[in-house]
PDB file of all heavy atoms in Angstrom:
ATOM      1  N   VAL A 195      -4.427  -6.818  16.596  1.00 96.00           N
ATOM      2  CA  VAL A 195      -5.454  -7.787  16.971  1.00 96.00           C
ATOM      3  C   VAL A 195      -5.651  -7.798  18.481  1.00 96.00           C
ATOM      4  O   VAL A 195      -6.792  -7.846  18.976  1.00 96.00           O
ATOM      5  CB  VAL A 195      -5.092  -9.200  16.464  1.00 96.00           C
ATOM      6  CG1 VAL A 195      -6.006 -10.252  17.098  1.00 96.00           C
ATOM      7  CG2 VAL A 195      -5.199  -9.262  14.945  1.00 96.00           C
ATOM      8  N   LYS A 196      -4.562  -7.725  19.226  1.00 95.00           N
ATOM      9  CA  LYS A 196      -4.654  -7.694  20.688  1.00 95.00           C
ATOM     10  C   LYS A 196      -5.458  -6.485  21.148  1.00 95.00           C
ATOM     11  O   LYS A 196      -6.336  -6.593  22.017  1.00 95.00           O
ATOM     12  CB  LYS A 196      -3.253  -7.671  21.291  1.00 95.00           C
ATOM     13  CG  LYS A 196      -3.251  -7.642  22.813  1.00 95.00           C
ATOM     14  CD  LYS A 196      -1.826  -7.611  23.373  1.00 95.00           C
ATOM     15  CE  LYS A 196      -1.848  -7.552  24.901  1.00 95.00           C
ATOM     16  NZ  LYS A 196      -0.471  -7.502  25.464  1.00 95.00           N
ATOM     17  N   ARG A 197      -5.190  -5.329  20.542  1.00 94.00           N
ATOM     18  CA  ARG A 197      -5.924  -4.117  20.915  1.00 94.00           C
ATOM     19  C   ARG A 197      -7.395  -4.230  20.552  1.00 94.00           C
ATOM     20  O   ARG A 197      -8.274  -3.800  21.314  1.00 94.00           O
ATOM     21  CB  ARG A 197      -5.308  -2.902  20.227  1.00 94.00           C
ATOM     22  CG  ARG A 197      -3.933  -2.512  20.752  1.00 94.00           C
ATOM     23  CD  ARG A 197      -3.348  -1.394  19.923  1.00 94.00           C
ATOM     24  NE  ARG A 197      -2.010  -1.020  20.378  1.00 94.00           N
ATOM     25  CZ  ARG A 197      -1.184  -0.252  19.674  1.00 94.00           C
ATOM     26  NH1 ARG A 197      -1.561   0.208  18.486  1.00 94.00           N
ATOM     27  NH2 ARG A 197       0.012   0.050  20.152  1.00 94.00           N
ATOM     28  N   LEU A 198      -7.672  -4.809  19.378  1.00 95.00           N
ATOM     29  CA  LEU A 198      -9.064  -4.990  18.972  1.00 95.00           C
ATOM     30  C   LEU A 198      -9.809  -5.882  19.958  1.00 95.00           C
ATOM     31  O   LEU A 198     -10.942  -5.597  20.357  1.00 95.00           O
ATOM     32  CB  LEU A 198      -9.125  -5.614  17.569  1.00 95.00           C
ATOM     33  CG  LEU A 198      -8.993  -4.668  16.387  1.00 95.00           C
ATOM     34  CD1 LEU A 198      -8.924  -5.463  15.086  1.00 95.00           C
ATOM     35  CD2 LEU A 198     -10.157  -3.683  16.326  1.00 95.00           C
ATOM     36  N   ARG A 199      -9.188  -6.965  20.350  1.00 95.00           N
ATOM     37  CA  ARG A 199      -9.834  -7.877  21.295  1.00 95.00           C
ATOM     38  C   ARG A 199     -10.126  -7.186  22.615  1.00 95.00           C
ATOM     39  O   ARG A 199     -11.191  -7.386  23.226  1.00 95.00           O
ATOM     40  CB  ARG A 199      -8.951  -9.109  21.519  1.00 95.00           C
ATOM     41  CG  ARG A 199      -8.979 -10.093  20.350  1.00 95.00           C
ATOM     42  CD  ARG A 199      -7.947 -11.187  20.547  1.00 95.00           C
ATOM     43  NE  ARG A 199      -8.109 -12.254  19.563  1.00 95.00           N
ATOM     44  CZ  ARG A 199      -7.166 -13.139  19.274  1.00 95.00           C
ATOM     45  NH1 ARG A 199      -5.997 -13.075  19.898  1.00 95.00           N
ATOM     46  NH2 ARG A 199      -7.384 -14.066  18.369  1.00 95.00           N
ATOM     47  N   GLU A 200      -9.194  -6.363  23.064  1.00 95.00           N
ATOM     48  CA  GLU A 200      -9.402  -5.646  24.323  1.00 95.00           C
ATOM     49  C   GLU A 200     -10.554  -4.649  24.200  1.00 95.00           C
ATOM     50  O   GLU A 200     -11.410  -4.563  25.086  1.00 95.00           O
ATOM     51  CB  GLU A 200      -8.110  -4.922  24.726  1.00 95.00           C
ATOM     52  CG  GLU A 200      -6.981  -5.873  25.114  1.00 95.00           C
ATOM     53  CD  GLU A 200      -5.659  -5.145  25.310  1.00 95.00           C
ATOM     54  OE1 GLU A 200      -5.580  -3.941  24.977  1.00 95.00           O
ATOM     55  OE2 GLU A 200      -4.699  -5.776  25.804  1.00 95.00           O
ATOM     56  N   LYS A 201     -10.587  -3.920  23.089  1.00 95.00           N
ATOM     57  CA  LYS A 201     -11.620  -2.906  22.907  1.00 95.00           C
ATOM     58  C   LYS A 201     -13.001  -3.518  22.669  1.00 95.00           C
ATOM     59  O   LYS A 201     -14.020  -2.928  23.038  1.00 95.00           O
ATOM     60  CB  LYS A 201     -11.254  -1.984  21.742  1.00 95.00           C
ATOM     61  CG  LYS A 201     -10.055  -1.085  22.007  1.00 95.00           C
ATOM     62  CD  LYS A 201      -9.812  -0.137  20.834  1.00 95.00           C
ATOM     63  CE  LYS A 201      -8.660   0.821  21.141  1.00 95.00           C
ATOM     64  NZ  LYS A 201      -8.430   1.788  20.041  1.00 95.00           N
ATOM     65  N   LEU A 202     -13.027  -4.695  22.040  1.00 94.00           N
ATOM     66  CA  LEU A 202     -14.293  -5.313  21.659  1.00 94.00           C
ATOM     67  C   LEU A 202     -14.684  -6.455  22.596  1.00 94.00           C
ATOM     68  O   LEU A 202     -15.533  -7.274  22.257  1.00 94.00           O
ATOM     69  CB  LEU A 202     -14.202  -5.842  20.223  1.00 94.00           C
ATOM     70  CG  LEU A 202     -13.839  -4.809  19.152  1.00 94.00           C
ATOM     71  CD1 LEU A 202     -13.607  -5.490  17.804  1.00 94.00           C
ATOM     72  CD2 LEU A 202     -14.936  -3.747  19.023  1.00 94.00           C
ATOM     73  N   ALA A 203     -14.097  -6.485  23.782  1.00 93.00           N
ATOM     74  CA  ALA A 203     -14.319  -7.591  24.712  1.00 93.00           C
ATOM     75  C   ALA A 203     -15.784  -7.767  25.091  1.00 93.00           C
ATOM     76  O   ALA A 203     -16.238  -8.885  25.360  1.00 93.00           O
ATOM     77  CB  ALA A 203     -13.475  -7.378  25.973  1.00 93.00           C
ATOM     78  N   ASP A 204     -16.553  -6.684  25.107  1.00 90.00           N
ATOM     79  CA  ASP A 204     -17.959  -6.754  25.520  1.00 90.00           C
ATOM     80  C   ASP A 204     -18.919  -7.027  24.359  1.00 90.00           C
ATOM     81  O   ASP A 204     -20.136  -7.082  24.551  1.00 90.00           O
ATOM     82  CB  ASP A 204     -18.373  -5.450  26.214  1.00 90.00           C
ATOM     83  CG  ASP A 204     -17.615  -5.231  27.517  1.00 90.00           C
ATOM     84  OD1 ASP A 204     -17.242  -6.229  28.154  1.00 90.00           O
ATOM     85  OD2 ASP A 204     -17.389  -4.055  27.883  1.00 90.00           O
ATOM     86  N   ILE A 205     -18.388  -7.161  23.159  1.00 91.00           N
ATOM     87  CA  ILE A 205     -19.229  -7.401  21.980  1.00 91.00           C
ATOM     88  C   ILE A 205     -19.234  -8.895  21.668  1.00 91.00           C
ATOM     89  O   ILE A 205     -18.184  -9.517  21.509  1.00 91.00           O
ATOM     90  CB  ILE A 205     -18.712  -6.587  20.775  1.00 91.00           C
ATOM     91  CG1 ILE A 205     -18.905  -5.093  21.058  1.00 91.00           C
ATOM     92  CG2 ILE A 205     -19.440  -6.996  19.489  1.00 91.00           C
ATOM     93  CD1 ILE A 205     -18.374  -4.181  19.988  1.00 91.00           C
ATOM     94  N   GLU A 206     -20.437  -9.470  21.583  1.00 89.00           N
ATOM     95  CA  GLU A 206     -20.569 -10.923  21.437  1.00 89.00           C
ATOM     96  C   GLU A 206     -20.965 -11.369  20.030  1.00 89.00           C
ATOM     97  O   GLU A 206     -21.056 -12.569  19.771  1.00 89.00           O
ATOM     98  CB  GLU A 206     -21.618 -11.440  22.434  1.00 89.00           C
ATOM     99  CG  GLU A 206     -21.256 -11.143  23.887  1.00 89.00           C
ATOM    100  CD  GLU A 206     -22.328 -11.616  24.853  1.00 89.00           C
ATOM    101  OE1 GLU A 206     -23.416 -12.005  24.363  1.00 89.00           O
ATOM    102  OE2 GLU A 206     -22.078 -11.607  26.068  1.00 89.00           O
ATOM    103  N   ASP A 207     -21.192 -10.417  19.116  1.00 90.00           N
ATOM    104  CA  ASP A 207     -21.693 -10.784  17.786  1.00 90.00           C
ATOM    105  C   ASP A 207     -20.635 -11.443  16.909  1.00 90.00           C
ATOM    106  O   ASP A 207     -20.968 -12.165  15.966  1.00 90.00           O
ATOM    107  CB  ASP A 207     -22.250  -9.553  17.075  1.00 90.00           C
ATOM    108  CG  ASP A 207     -23.518  -9.048  17.751  1.00 90.00           C
ATOM    109  OD1 ASP A 207     -23.405  -8.547  18.889  1.00 90.00           O
ATOM    110  OD2 ASP A 207     -24.603  -9.163  17.167  1.00 90.00           O
ATOM    111  N   PHE A 208     -19.373 -11.178  17.187  1.00 92.00           N
ATOM    112  CA  PHE A 208     -18.309 -11.781  16.391  1.00 92.00           C
ATOM    113  C   PHE A 208     -17.056 -11.901  17.246  1.00 92.00           C
ATOM    114  O   PHE A 208     -16.917 -11.251  18.290  1.00 92.00           O
ATOM    115  CB  PHE A 208     -18.024 -10.943  15.128  1.00 92.00           C
ATOM    116  CG  PHE A 208     -17.714  -9.502  15.400  1.00 92.00           C
ATOM    117  CD1 PHE A 208     -16.423  -9.090  15.750  1.00 92.00           C
ATOM    118  CD2 PHE A 208     -18.706  -8.534  15.311  1.00 92.00           C
ATOM    119  CE1 PHE A 208     -16.140  -7.764  16.011  1.00 92.00           C
ATOM    120  CE2 PHE A 208     -18.430  -7.200  15.563  1.00 92.00           C
ATOM    121  CZ  PHE A 208     -17.144  -6.815  15.908  1.00 92.00           C
ATOM    122  N   SER A 209     -16.132 -12.740  16.767  1.00 93.00           N
ATOM    123  CA  SER A 209     -14.870 -12.956  17.472  1.00 93.00           C
ATOM    124  C   SER A 209     -13.735 -13.028  16.462  1.00 93.00           C
ATOM    125  O   SER A 209     -13.939 -13.396  15.303  1.00 93.00           O
ATOM    126  CB  SER A 209     -14.904 -14.263  18.273  1.00 93.00           C
ATOM    127  OG  SER A 209     -16.003 -14.298  19.154  1.00 93.00           O
ATOM    128  N   ILE A 210     -12.536 -12.679  16.920  1.00 95.00           N
ATOM    129  CA  ILE A 210     -11.331 -12.844  16.103  1.00 95.00           C
ATOM    130  C   ILE A 210     -10.567 -14.032  16.674  1.00 95.00           C
ATOM    131  O   ILE A 210     -10.148 -14.021  17.833  1.00 95.00           O
ATOM    132  CB  ILE A 210     -10.459 -11.579  16.121  1.00 95.00           C
ATOM    133  CG1 ILE A 210     -11.235 -10.383  15.578  1.00 95.00           C
ATOM    134  CG2 ILE A 210      -9.188 -11.809  15.295  1.00 95.00           C
ATOM    135  CD1 ILE A 210     -10.484  -9.072  15.678  1.00 95.00           C
ATOM    136  N   ILE A 211     -10.413 -15.063  15.860  1.00 95.00           N
ATOM    137  CA  ILE A 211      -9.804 -16.317  16.304  1.00 95.00           C
ATOM    138  C   ILE A 211      -8.381 -16.437  15.764  1.00 95.00           C
ATOM    139  O   ILE A 211      -8.130 -16.141  14.587  1.00 95.00           O
ATOM    140  CB  ILE A 211     -10.634 -17.524  15.814  1.00 95.00           C
ATOM    141  CG1 ILE A 211     -12.090 -17.379  16.247  1.00 95.00           C
ATOM    142  CG2 ILE A 211     -10.040 -18.830  16.330  1.00 95.00           C
ATOM    143  CD1 ILE A 211     -12.301 -17.312  17.736  1.00 95.00           C
ATOM    144  N   THR A 212      -7.474 -16.869  16.622  1.00 96.00           N
ATOM    145  CA  THR A 212      -6.096 -17.128  16.201  1.00 96.00           C
ATOM    146  C   THR A 212      -5.996 -18.538  15.617  1.00 96.00           C
ATOM    147  O   THR A 212      -6.449 -19.508  16.231  1.00 96.00           O
ATOM    148  CB  THR A 212      -5.126 -17.009  17.388  1.00 96.00           C
ATOM    149  OG1 THR A 212      -5.193 -15.695  17.924  1.00 96.00           O
ATOM    150  CG2 THR A 212      -3.690 -17.304  16.946  1.00 96.00           C
ATOM    151  N   ILE A 213      -5.430 -18.645  14.430  1.00 94.00           N
ATOM    152  CA  ILE A 213      -5.156 -19.940  13.815  1.00 94.00           C
ATOM    153  C   ILE A 213      -3.652 -20.173  13.953  1.00 94.00           C
ATOM    154  O   ILE A 213      -2.854 -19.562  13.234  1.00 94.00           O
ATOM    155  CB  ILE A 213      -5.577 -19.965  12.330  1.00 94.00           C
ATOM    156  CG1 ILE A 213      -7.038 -19.514  12.182  1.00 94.00           C
ATOM    157  CG2 ILE A 213      -5.353 -21.349  11.752  1.00 94.00           C
ATOM    158  CD1 ILE A 213      -8.030 -20.366  12.949  1.00 94.00           C
ATOM    159  N   ARG A 214      -3.306 -21.012  14.890  1.00 90.00           N
ATOM    160  CA  ARG A 214      -1.894 -21.193  15.249  1.00 90.00           C
ATOM    161  C   ARG A 214      -1.040 -21.539  14.025  1.00 90.00           C
ATOM    162  O   ARG A 214      -1.358 -22.432  13.256  1.00 90.00           O
ATOM    163  CB  ARG A 214      -1.755 -22.290  16.302  1.00 90.00           C
ATOM    164  CG  ARG A 214      -0.348 -22.422  16.881  1.00 90.00           C
ATOM    165  CD  ARG A 214      -0.330 -23.455  17.997  1.00 90.00           C
ATOM    166  NE  ARG A 214      -1.190 -23.067  19.108  1.00 90.00           N
ATOM    167  CZ  ARG A 214      -0.821 -22.244  20.085  1.00 90.00           C
ATOM    168  NH1 ARG A 214       0.391 -21.716  20.069  1.00 90.00           N
ATOM    169  NH2 ARG A 214      -1.664 -21.957  21.060  1.00 90.00           N
ATOM    170  N   GLY A 215       0.039 -20.786  13.872  1.00 87.00           N
ATOM    171  CA  GLY A 215       0.971 -21.022  12.778  1.00 87.00           C
ATOM    172  C   GLY A 215       0.550 -20.412  11.457  1.00 87.00           C
ATOM    173  O   GLY A 215       1.330 -20.448  10.496  1.00 87.00           O
ATOM    174  N   LEU A 216      -0.668 -19.853  11.388  1.00 89.00           N
ATOM    175  CA  LEU A 216      -1.155 -19.293  10.126  1.00 89.00           C
ATOM    176  C   LEU A 216      -1.495 -17.812  10.236  1.00 89.00           C
ATOM    177  O   LEU A 216      -0.917 -16.978   9.558  1.00 89.00           O
ATOM    178  CB  LEU A 216      -2.381 -20.081   9.637  1.00 89.00           C
ATOM    179  CG  LEU A 216      -2.134 -21.524   9.207  1.00 89.00           C
ATOM    180  CD1 LEU A 216      -3.453 -22.210   8.857  1.00 89.00           C
ATOM    181  CD2 LEU A 216      -1.203 -21.551   7.994  1.00 89.00           C
ATOM    182  N   GLY A 217      -2.462 -17.496  11.093  1.00 93.00           N
ATOM    183  CA  GLY A 217      -2.886 -16.101  11.180  1.00 93.00           C
ATOM    184  C   GLY A 217      -4.172 -15.974  11.962  1.00 93.00           C
ATOM    185  O   GLY A 217      -4.290 -16.515  13.065  1.00 93.00           O
ATOM    186  N   TYR A 218      -5.172 -15.315  11.338  1.00 95.00           N
ATOM    187  CA  TYR A 218      -6.413 -15.032  12.059  1.00 95.00           C
ATOM    188  C   TYR A 218      -7.627 -15.212  11.145  1.00 95.00           C
ATOM    189  O   TYR A 218      -7.516 -15.165   9.923  1.00 95.00           O
ATOM    190  CB  TYR A 218      -6.406 -13.588  12.583  1.00 95.00           C
ATOM    191  CG  TYR A 218      -5.286 -13.283  13.528  1.00 95.00           C
ATOM    192  CD1 TYR A 218      -4.102 -12.692  13.079  1.00 95.00           C
ATOM    193  CD2 TYR A 218      -5.394 -13.596  14.884  1.00 95.00           C
ATOM    194  CE1 TYR A 218      -3.061 -12.419  13.959  1.00 95.00           C
ATOM    195  CE2 TYR A 218      -4.359 -13.318  15.770  1.00 95.00           C
ATOM    196  CZ  TYR A 218      -3.199 -12.730  15.303  1.00 95.00           C
ATOM    197  OH  TYR A 218      -2.169 -12.465  16.171  1.00 95.00           O
ATOM    198  N   LYS A 219      -8.792 -15.392  11.781  1.00 94.00           N
ATOM    199  CA  LYS A 219     -10.046 -15.373  11.045  1.00 94.00           C
ATOM    200  C   LYS A 219     -11.134 -14.785  11.944  1.00 94.00           C
ATOM    201  O   LYS A 219     -11.017 -14.807  13.182  1.00 94.00           O
ATOM    202  CB  LYS A 219     -10.453 -16.778  10.592  1.00 94.00           C
ATOM    203  CG  LYS A 219     -10.861 -17.723  11.717  1.00 94.00           C
ATOM    204  CD  LYS A 219     -11.312 -19.065  11.157  1.00 94.00           C
ATOM    205  CE  LYS A 219     -11.727 -20.026  12.268  1.00 94.00           C
ATOM    206  NZ  LYS A 219     -12.168 -21.336  11.728  1.00 94.00           N
ATOM    207  N   ALA A 220     -12.154 -14.235  11.315  1.00 93.00           N
ATOM    208  CA  ALA A 220     -13.298 -13.710  12.052  1.00 93.00           C
ATOM    209  C   ALA A 220     -14.398 -14.764  12.053  1.00 93.00           C
ATOM    210  O   ALA A 220     -14.623 -15.441  11.049  1.00 93.00           O
ATOM    211  CB  ALA A 220     -13.807 -12.422  11.421  1.00 93.00           C
ATOM    212  N   VAL A 221     -15.063 -14.906  13.191  1.00 92.00           N
ATOM    213  CA  VAL A 221     -16.165 -15.852  13.332  1.00 92.00           C
ATOM    214  C   VAL A 221     -17.400 -15.069  13.742  1.00 92.00           C
ATOM    215  O   VAL A 221     -17.367 -14.303  14.718  1.00 92.00           O
ATOM    216  CB  VAL A 221     -15.847 -16.928  14.378  1.00 92.00           C
ATOM    217  CG1 VAL A 221     -17.063 -17.803  14.628  1.00 92.00           C
ATOM    218  CG2 VAL A 221     -14.667 -17.770  13.932  1.00 92.00           C
ATOM    219  N   ILE A 222     -18.479 -15.220  12.968  1.00 89.00           N
ATOM    220  CA  ILE A 222     -19.741 -14.589  13.319  1.00 89.00           C
ATOM    221  C   ILE A 222     -20.456 -15.515  14.301  1.00 89.00           C
ATOM    222  O   ILE A 222     -20.757 -16.659  13.956  1.00 89.00           O
ATOM    223  CB  ILE A 222     -20.628 -14.362  12.078  1.00 89.00           C
ATOM    224  CG1 ILE A 222     -19.848 -13.602  10.994  1.00 89.00           C
ATOM    225  CG2 ILE A 222     -21.883 -13.588  12.462  1.00 89.00           C
ATOM    226  CD1 ILE A 222     -19.351 -12.251  11.395  1.00 89.00           C
TER     227      ILE A 222
END
Side-chain angles (χ1 to χ4, degrees):
V195 168
K196 180 180 179 181
R197 290 174 182 167
L198 277 174
R199 285 172 170 162
E200 292 172 351
K201 291 184 177 182
L202 303 173
D204 295 330
I205 293 177
E206 300 178 351
D207 292 69
F208 55 84
S209 305
I210 300 175
I211 306 299
T212 300
I213 307 301
R214 188 175 298 276
L216 293 175
Y218 300 96
K219 69 177 180 180
V221 173
I222 307 300

